[in-house]
Amino acid sequence: MATVTESKARFDELRLSGKVFLSNKTAVVGLAIFLVFIGDAFLVQVAPGVLGVQYPDSVVPPQFTQTNPECVGTAPEAPSFNHLFGTIQYGLSGIGCLDLLQLVMKAIRIDVAISFFIVLVGAAIGTVVGVVSGYFGRWLDEAMMRVTDVFFSVPFLILALAVGFVIGRTLVNMALALIIIWWPLYARYGRSLTLSTKEATFIESARAAGSGRLKIIFRHIMPNVLPPVLVQISLDVGTVILIFSTLAFIGFLPSNALVPELGAIASIGLDFVALGDWWPVIIPGAVITMFSLAVNLMGDGLRDVIDPRRRS
Amino acid sequence: MKLWVYVIRRLVLLLPTIIGLTFLVFALEHLGGNTLFLAQYINPHLTGTAREKLVEELTAKFHLNDPVYIQYFYWLAAVFQGDLGTSTTLGQPVATGFVWFMPNTIMLTLVASVLTWIISIPIGVYSAARRDSILDQGVRVATFTLYSMPVFLIGFALFIALGTAWHALPDQGNIDPVLLPTIPDAWFDHTNAVSYPTHILPLDAFLHGDWTIAWNSFLHVILPAVALTLALLAGIIRILRASMLEVLEQDYVRLARAKGVPERMVQNFHAKKNALLPTVTSYGYLVSGLFGGAVVIEDIFAFKGIGWWTTDAFLNGDVGVVMGSTLVFGLILVVTTLILDILYAFLDPRIRYE
Amino acid sequence: MSDALEIRDLHVRFHTRRGLYRALNGVNLRLARGEVLGIAGESGCGKTTMGLGVMSLLPRNASYPQGQVVFDNKDLVNLPREYSERVGDRFSPKQNERILRRVSKAMAPIRGRRISMVFQEPMTSLNPVLPIGFQVGESIYVHDPAQLARRVLARSKATPELTRELVSLLAATHGDETSVRKFAAEHDLAGIEEQALFVWSRGDIHISRKEKAIRALSGQPMNFVERWIIDTVVRARSIPWYLSRIPILSRIVRRVLMREGNRKARELLTSLGIHHAERVVRMFPHELSGGMRQRVVIAIALANNPEIVIMDEPTSAVDVTVQAQILELVKRIRTSVSASFIVISHDLAVLAEVCDRIAIMYAGRIVEVAPTDEILHKPLHPYTQMLISAIPTLEGKPVEGIQGDVPDMRAVPSGCAFHPRCPFAFEKCREVIPTDLPHGSDQLVACWLYEGK
């Protein structure tokens, strides 16, 4: 009997959560845009041909010359019916013509995957460190706080540049550099959530009942720490894409690496700005904005769901 | 607790952070190996036996054959003496480069910060007070969009719209190239584009009484400053609006209303001050973004500050500059955070008495 | 004499995502002039909602589908009720907020001046970043800035001879109010009388100190800007627009007047038994104890000699000894002040101490109103009887709890809301909402048990 009412109560809570999220129209729009991005990334991964994308891992086809261009023309072309996002020339001397829409579709896969990778790994490391130091406290906690202080004491973009400079300028290293600046955020967040959970009475009673430390951490603390961390992850995916595309834009990835990444594409487009061509920079930037905006709108909706005050 | 006790306590807490910061930079330099470490002290044009001899001297000076913790202390001693190595791109000691380019960056970030606060406080307060009005919805859409834009897009949208397309404002460098030769040699170093005495060109020109150059170089500041402001604005308005909404539901605001205080005064006096407090704290985190943004903006507008210099050095493998600016930016951020904390203690009487 | 306040059939609903909460379901209540009316009931029965509803301080998701709050022949909840009637079920908090803003504007001259309120939580109801003196003085600054200006002006005009005369007058008449007023009017010193009378009525200092303090009420120095501001405010009897709207000038005006507001705050706090008030006004809320804060909040409520003071659980958040002091204070001010009081509390023992009449509330309705003695010794409504037997006593008599739970305000039981918990409930109770039945000369009870008796 008790379990029936309990599961009904849980179901009601879930239905209310759904209602709260769906009542936020902008969050639903965000979710829709987000799904379009995910769908694109998925298709490029499993069946690039469906979207007409060839060579999903590189900006240009192998042995790319003027003889096998993706499109015709010797100068960048503004967006038109044939080329929705316009075209760019690879190399200022006009080695060949590239369709910007195709480039963007390739790049979305890499951008989405990398931003999820960075945030998930950073969150995993940071949350574990935060929960452990928050739970055990004392000198461990103190040491951890000082370490995160040091990471916060350098502007994140500069730290990423310095790390990348030392370990080498590749796509994977860029992700590593960003994980290094990302985990302390989650360590702090996980710690503060753990501390507030630790005060709660049910932890006291679990301890009094003789539960082991690990059991308390996994059975009692984690379930309370994870939902807000997940919401934070959903918000951070939108932030991290801004930072690493900016890094790529200022030249973190060497131009001969030819990685289809939105910031790197924008920096290829930089060469044409002086000629008055806006689309090679603005369109990749706008695509990044769309993704980040969608994620932020969605995360805002999710935050409403877990905030008891905003629920009612 | 008196305010000065609080300040001293914060200063003491600062020490481990600064020591940790030097650890971090030293560790980064060492990750690259001895060659990279030494590269910042050796002129790349030096070859042959002269180079080998210098390498030997430096190895002895930094005790590179001793254990790492001993190396750290010799490196730290050098840093304390202001020896951050030599910049290969500038052909000058790294420390000199900071003296030259730092003032520009400080001016840019200060102007952007002031603009940000001037604009965001009234917008954030009003938007929260008139929740769900047309204006509020407009503000929310605008801040959400702006918040989701990468810094380079904000910079470039301005660059293309106001610079390239309409030629409304200058968009490259610190001064018009046409005016460059007219600057007297006595207060402008043409090879390195550094002005004297403050190293901030509009200010220096003003001090020397040259209005044309002062005005022109001032115009060059506008676009980067506005771009940086836009990059910072959205975050502050969002925090301010949220904290204002929270404050407006507090008991003390209800009491103020129950006292019959007019709504305008409730907002500007009772709510605004309290709403600003959390905004000041989170501004500490935003400062990190401010400096990061300055790097990108200076790069886009070729504005001669440390950000521009650092990206330039990064692309050209100038290790001394990259490591030096990590250290210097770190110190600036630490000091800024300290100042903000003290400001917070001024604003919030509760901190002082805890 | 008419009533100070009348609440007629007041309904209040809260629109939330979890459903529609019917907080008030037809409250009828009269507050006579000069009386102290207590409101008792379990938590969640709508006591606080009623208090806030009278002040129109309810949040934006509250609607007033029915009822009136009549004060000084005006209906205070007119606008939001009309809005609720107009939209019916399509109530939108956003639009209601716009209405509430208009209500706030209309209520501003009433709130704090004619009706004021003391809130439950003294720990959170003072602004943490403003000094106490400002928060107390502000209520006078907002409603009667001319009073502050008059006080300054009187001190600047008073000569040492005049104040010496005032001292001897006070000594001769033993602090007679009318003669001091007459003296002030004769010498064109309006504003000095209350300052002198305050000093004279202080019980905590010696007579010689009092005389010295009154003699010090002379020769207030003023620079020409201050003089101009003070003169203008006294002549206009309020702050003219050009002094309150021009950015920097308005700041100076506020500083000049609030300096006097601080002085007035000191007097108010002293009269409420706060020692070292001159230090307290410079402090911030977190430096004060809960009891002190509650006194400050009471001082704010009494600052403008209001006609009605609503006290929402004034003693619940403070500990027992402070509770006793606050109750003493409330008893003292009710004799010295001409206001009517509504005291809201879940604790009948507290109400019994200070109230003339007590109303018992259940599920958003008043179920019984009677003079304090009647309620305590001859409770009629079954709920009242249970409440009284649930008061713990020192004799060690077993306390009887009330069976059942507080009703869910989203689905209030039909008929008499108390019927599911009532041992005497019968058929009619489940179906028809009981009306207020008079019993005796001054008792009202909403219970079918007493129909026809």
Side-chain angles (χ1 to χ4, degrees):
Chain A
M1 182 62 203
T3 49
V4 172
T5 48
E6 205 171 86
S7 68
K8 189 185 177 300
R10 197 172 292 169
F11 176 72
D12 279 351
E13 280 299 301
L14 214 63
R15 213 178 50 179
L16 183 67
S17 300
K19 213 168 113 187
V20 171
F21 186 84
L22 291 178
S23 72
N24 191 341
K25 297 276 183 306
T26 50
V28 176
V29 172
L31 180 67
I33 301 176
F34 179 73
L35 288 178
V36 169
F37 275 83
I38 295 288
D40 176 279
F42 184 73
L43 275 180
V44 173
Q45 177 67 33
V46 297
V50 175
L51 295 169
V53 171
Q54 296 158 314
Y55 317 108
D57 293 326
S58 174
V59 170
V60 293
Q63 285 100 43
F64 185 63
T65 58
Q66 252 166 327
T67 55
N68 60 344
E70 286 184 354
C71 44
V72 287
T74 50
E77 275 174 37
S80 65
F81 193 70
N82 283 336
H83 301 287
L84 281 179
F85 283 2
T87 68
I88 60 169
Q89 292 288 319
Y90 178 64
L92 256 187
S93 51
I95 296 174
C97 173
L98 293 169
D99 182 42
L100 196 54
L101 177 60
Q102 279 213 5
L103 265 182
V104 165
M105 286 195 297
K106 285 185 214 174
I108 283 173
R109 163 173 155 261
I110 293 201
D111 278 60
V112 170
I114 293 270
S115 52
F116 269 102
F117 175 71
I118 293 169
V119 175
L120 287 178
V121 175
I125 299 173
T127 311
V128 169
V129 172
V131 168
V132 167
S133 73
Y135 183 76
F136 290 103
R138 291 195 290 207
W139 64 267
L140 186 72
D141 188 35
E142 194 60 32
M144 199 282 289
M145 288 304 286
R146 294 288 83 81
V147 170
T148 53
D149 266 351
V150 172
F151 279 91
F152 283 125
S153 72
V154 183
F156 48 81
L157 205 80
I158 312 249
L159 186 58
L161 276 182
V163 172
F165 187 87
V166 173
I167 63 177
R169 293 155 58 187
T170 66
L171 189 64
V172 177
N173 283 353
M174 183 157 87
L176 281 182
L178 285 171
I179 288 171
I180 287 175
I181 63 170
W182 224 262
W183 74 267
L185 280 169
Y186 281 91
R188 284 266 179 101
Y189 195 44
R191 174 181 175 269
S192 72
L193 289 170
T194 310
L195 287 182
S196 57
T197 318
K198 223 168 94 176
E199 301 296 313
T201 42
F202 62 89
I203 301 279
E204 293 280 317
S205 58
R207 201 176 292 151
S211 300
R213 282 173 166 176
L214 273 180
K215 197 175 168 194
I216 291 179
I217 289 185
F218 279 100
R219 289 286 297 279
H220 299 287
I221 292 188
M222 275 300 181
N224 283 289
V225 169
L226 276 184
V229 165
L230 286 176
V231 171
Q232 190 60 37
I233 287 176
S234 72
L235 283 168
D236 274 357
V237 169
T239 314
V240 79
I241 196 177
L242 298 182
I243 295 175
F244 81 73
S245 63
T246 300
L247 272 178
F249 177 83
I250 58 179
F252 193 105
L253 301 171
S255 53
N256 56 9
L258 297 179
V259 181
E261 196 283 332
L262 289 165
I265 293 172
S267 92
I268 297 175
L270 207 53
D271 296 338
F272 310 108
V273 167
L275 308 173
D277 298 342
W278 54 270
W279 61 95
V281 176
I282 299 294
I283 285 183
V287 172
I288 297 169
T289 308
M290 282 284 273
F291 181 72
S292 179
L293 187 63
V295 168
N296 279 330
L297 291 175
M298 207 172 67
D300 223 41
L302 285 179
R303 207 161 39 187
D304 281 3
V305 171
I306 64 159
D307 186 343
R309 264 183 320 164
R310 292 213 245 172
R311 271 182 97 107
S312 52
Chain B
M1 189 165 62
K2 290 279 192 326
L3 192 60
W4 62 269
V5 181
Y6 176 79
V7 171
I8 288 177
R9 228 167 66 167
R10 282 293 290 113
L11 276 174
V12 172
L13 275 176
L14 212 63
L15 271 178
T17 312
I18 291 178
I19 294 171
L21 178 65
T22 58
F23 272 142
L24 180 70
V25 175
F26 179 73
L28 281 174
E29 291 191 8
H30 255 263
L31 263 180
N34 281 353
T35 327
L36 192 68
F37 181 82
L38 288 178
Q40 55 187 315
Y41 298 102
I42 299 173
N43 187 342
H45 299 301
L46 211 60
T47 47
T49 47
R51 187 188 174 93
E52 277 163 27
K53 201 166 156 246
L54 187 60
V55 168
E56 251 169 54
E57 267 173 33
L58 286 170
T59 310
K61 184 185 170 195
F62 289 104
H63 293 245
L64 291 185
N65 297 322
D66 286 336
V68 174
Y69 59 90
I70 293 178
Q71 293 178 32
Y72 166 75
F73 285 108
Y74 285 97
W75 171 83
L76 196 62
V79 168
F80 263 114
Q81 286 159 16
D83 182 7
L84 295 167
T86 308
S87 162
T88 49
T89 48
L90 198 66
Q92 295 278 352
V94 173
T96 311
F98 281 115
V99 174
W100 286 352
F101 298 129
M102 180 78 81
N104 272 333
T105 301
I106 290 178
M107 172 190 63
L108 185 64
T109 47
L110 271 183
V111 170
S113 302
V114 170
L115 275 179
T116 305
W117 284 107
I118 291 177
I119 298 170
S120 60
I121 291 179
I123 291 184
V125 169
Y126 191 80
S127 160
R130 292 287 161 124
R131 174 163 59 156
D132 297 323
S133 65
I134 305 267
L135 183 123
D136 177 41
Q137 280 168 1
V139 166
R140 286 176 72 185
V141 170
T143 51
F144 243 115
T145 316
L146 212 50
Y147 189 74
S148 310
M149 278 184 167
V151 186
F152 74 82
L153 182 65
I154 297 174
F156 254 93
L158 281 179
F159 181 92
I160 291 173
L162 295 174
T164 342
W166 295 339
H167 298 286
L169 284 165
D171 57 23
Q172 283 291 298
N174 297 46
I175 180 111
D176 232 326
V178 185
L179 283 175
L180 206 54
T182 68
I183 307 177
D185 289 339
W187 55 278
F188 193 76
D189 176 350
H190 283 273
T191 40
N192 291 307
V194 181
S195 60
Y196 299 94
T198 65
H199 305 312
I200 300 175
L201 189 53
L203 204 59
D204 283 330
F206 177 76
L207 290 177
H208 289 285
D210 191 330
W211 297 103
T212 333
I213 291 168
W215 176 245
N216 186 275
S217 54
F218 169 72
L219 288 182
H220 278 78
V221 180
I222 294 179
L223 268 189
V226 170
L228 197 50
T229 305
L230 286 178
L232 211 60
L233 197 63
I236 302 218
I237 291 181
R238 273 169 53 122
I239 297 168
L240 191 58
R241 180 178 177 276
S243 94
M244 185 77 183
L245 279 180
E246 201 174 314
V247 168
L248 282 175
E249 299 202 335
Q250 296 294 316
D251 282 357
Y252 51 82
V253 170
R254 198 174 57 181
L255 181 72
R257 288 193 177 130
K259 269 197 263 184
V261 179
E263 197 57 31
R264 193 171 45 87
M265 237 171 109
V266 169
Q267 282 156 19
N268 286 332
F269 228 81
H270 290 260
K272 191 162 100 182
K273 219 175 155 189
N274 284 290
L276 275 175
L277 289 174
T279 319
V280 170
T281 344
S282 37
Y283 189 67
Y285 291 101
L286 284 173
V287 169
S288 179
L290 170 73
F291 288 133
V295 171
V296 181
I297 296 292
E298 285 179 10
D299 185 39
I300 290 173
F301 292 96
F303 190 80
K304 306 278 186 296
I306 328 180
W308 163 81
W309 192 38
T310 309
T311 43
D312 193 47
F314 176 82
L315 296 175
N316 292 306
D318 190 348
V319 56
V321 178
V322 175
M323 294 303 152
S325 69
T326 310
L327 189 64
V328 170
F329 266 119
L331 289 176
I332 296 177
L333 188 53
V334 168
V335 172
T336 317
T337 317
L338 175 76
I339 294 172
L340 284 173
D341 275 354
I342 294 172
L343 184 72
Y344 189 86
F346 256 116
L347 285 175
D348 190 347
R350 279 166 297 185
I351 296 280
R352 275 177 269 159
Y353 292 93
E354 257 163 25
Chain C
M1 202 159 72
S2 69
D3 290 328
L5 184 78
E6 188 182 350
I7 300 173
R8 288 187 201 143
D9 195 29
L10 187 65
H11 286 66
V12 169
R13 291 177 186 166
F14 289 106
H15 300 252
T16 72
R17 281 212 174 106
R18 287 176 190 273
L20 186 66
Y21 285 81
R22 294 164 202 277
L24 294 186
N25 300 299
V27 169
N28 286 300
L29 204 59
R30 293 159 165 273
L31 176 69
R33 277 180 205 277
E35 85 163 331
V36 180
L37 174 65
I39 314 263
E42 288 164 305
S43 44
C45 70
K47 298 170 302 212
T48 301
T49 305
M50 196 192 82
L52 292 174
V54 170
M55 302 281 285
S56 301
L57 283 172
L58 289 173
R60 65 178 192 160
N61 64 344
S63 70
Y64 297 77
Q66 242 178 297
Q68 289 165 304
V69 175
V70 182
F71 172 72
D72 196 16
N73 294 324
K74 281 195 299 281
D75 181 7
L76 301 183
V77 296
N78 189 20
L79 283 170
R81 189 191 60 239
E82 276 171 10
Y83 170 72
S84 294
E85 279 169 1
R86 199 168 65 237
V87 296
D89 289 337
R90 289 175 292 106
F91 174 84
S92 120
K94 291 178 192 175
Q95 283 186 22
N96 194 37
E97 188 168 31
R98 218 169 299 155
I99 305 285
L100 286 183
R101 207 170 285 136
R102 271 166 57 200
V103 177
S104 271
K105 210 164 206 174
M107 285 289 286
I110 295 176
R111 283 182 192 162
R113 181 179 189 140
R114 305 186 62 189
I115 309 179
S116 60
M117 190 156 179
V118 174
F119 291 111
Q120 187 164 2
E121 270 294 334
M123 306 311 270
T124 53
S125 50
L126 289 171
N127 194 324
V129 299
L130 296 176
I132 298 293
F134 184 93
Q135 301 194 48
V136 178
E138 189 191 25
S139 39
I140 298 158
Y141 170 77
V142 165
H143 290 294
D144 195 5
Q147 184 195 350
L148 299 175
R150 268 200 309 274
R151 287 164 55 103
V152 186
L153 192 65
R155 282 208 306 280
S156 83
K157 280 200 283 196
T159 56
E161 293 76 43
L162 281 173
T163 48
R164 206 169 302 137
E165 231 174 279
L166 191 56
V167 171
S168 47
L169 177 72
L170 280 165
T173 60
H174 300 288
D176 177 49
E177 215 179 306
T178 30
S179 49
V180 176
R181 273 186 210 292
K182 218 174 100 203
F183 174 87
E186 274 168 12
H187 295 86
D188 193 19
L189 287 178
I192 204 144
E193 71 276 8
E194 54 163 346
Q195 302 178 58
L197 283 168
F198 159 73
V199 176
W200 196 255
S201 65
R202 277 178 75 166
D204 56 337
I205 52 174
H206 190 260
I207 183 94
S208 61
R209 296 257 321 265
K210 286 187 194 175
E211 284 176 2
K212 211 173 147 196
I214 292 172
R215 281 208 301 276
L217 295 174
S218 63
Q220 165 91 13
M222 273 201 285
N223 65 31
F224 75 99
V225 179
E226 284 172 4
R227 179 169 295 280
W228 174 64
I229 291 170
I230 295 285
D231 274 347
T232 319
V233 174
V234 169
R235 236 178 293 120
R237 288 167 188 278
S238 67
I239 305 178
W241 66 269
Y242 52 86
L243 288 185
S244 62
R245 289 294 176 148
I246 298 172
I248 293 170
L249 189 59
S250 68
R251 199 167 279 216
I252 298 173
V253 171
R254 187 164 58 214
R255 185 157 355 118
V256 169
L257 288 178
M258 275 314 294
R259 203 183 300 147
E260 188 58 27
N262 238 346
R263 205 181 159 109
K264 173 83 185 179
R266 230 155 63 199
E267 292 180 9
L268 277 167
L269 293 177
T270 310
S271 67
L272 289 186
I274 291 180
H275 301 294
H276 305 296
E278 64 283 353
R279 277 222 308 273
V280 174
V281 290
R282 280 201 303 270
M283 288 184 180
F284 289 93
H286 64 272
E287 296 172 77
L288 302 180
S289 66
M292 288 281 262
R293 290 189 214 189
Q294 195 60 300
R295 277 171 221 242
V296 171
V297 176
I298 291 173
I300 291 172
L302 295 176
N304 288 301
N305 290 324
E307 289 153 50
I308 298 170
V309 180
I310 302 171
M311 293 189 163
D312 183 8
E313 307 261 7
T315 59
S316 307
V318 292
D319 56 38
V320 186
T321 46
V322 180
Q323 182 173 339
Q325 289 169 15
I326 299 281
L327 282 181
E328 266 323 297
L329 180 65
V330 174
K331 271 197 244 170
R332 215 183 73 215
I333 49 186
R334 67 161 296 193
T335 57
S336 62
V337 174
S338 60
S340 322
F341 290 83
I342 295 178
V343 183
I344 297 169
S345 177
H346 63 273
D347 187 351
L348 267 175
V350 166
L351 295 182
E353 285 267 320
V354 291
C355 296
D356 302 321
R357 284 197 306 154
I358 293 180
I360 308 290
M361 217 170 168
Y362 186 80
R365 291 176 65 91
I366 304 282
V367 293
E368 185 169 2
V369 195
T372 306
D373 277 351
E374 313 273 310
I375 284 274
L376 292 178
H377 299 117
K378 284 194 301 171
L380 293 177
H381 198 283
Y383 177 63
T384 317
Q385 291 164 0
M386 289 175 166
L387 267 187
I388 285 167
S389 58
I391 300 177
T393 51
L394 284 177
E395 282 98 65
K397 167 184 86 163
V399 173
E400 292 168 39
I402 303 178
Q403 297 296 312
D405 291 320
V406 182
D408 182 355
M409 301 303 279
R410 285 174 290 185
V412 183
S414 62
C416 171
F418 188 58
H419 81 254
R421 298 163 79 181
C422 181
F424 311 112
F426 54 99
E427 208 45 50
K428 193 171 187 184
C429 300
R430 292 187 191 99
E431 283 153 13
V432 192
I433 299 176
T435 47
D436 290 347
L437 301 166
H439 194 273
S441 58
D442 44 10
Q443 200 158 0
L444 280 176
V445 59
C447 179
W448 291 127
L449 285 176
Y450 300 93
E451 194 185 16
K453 284 188 187 168

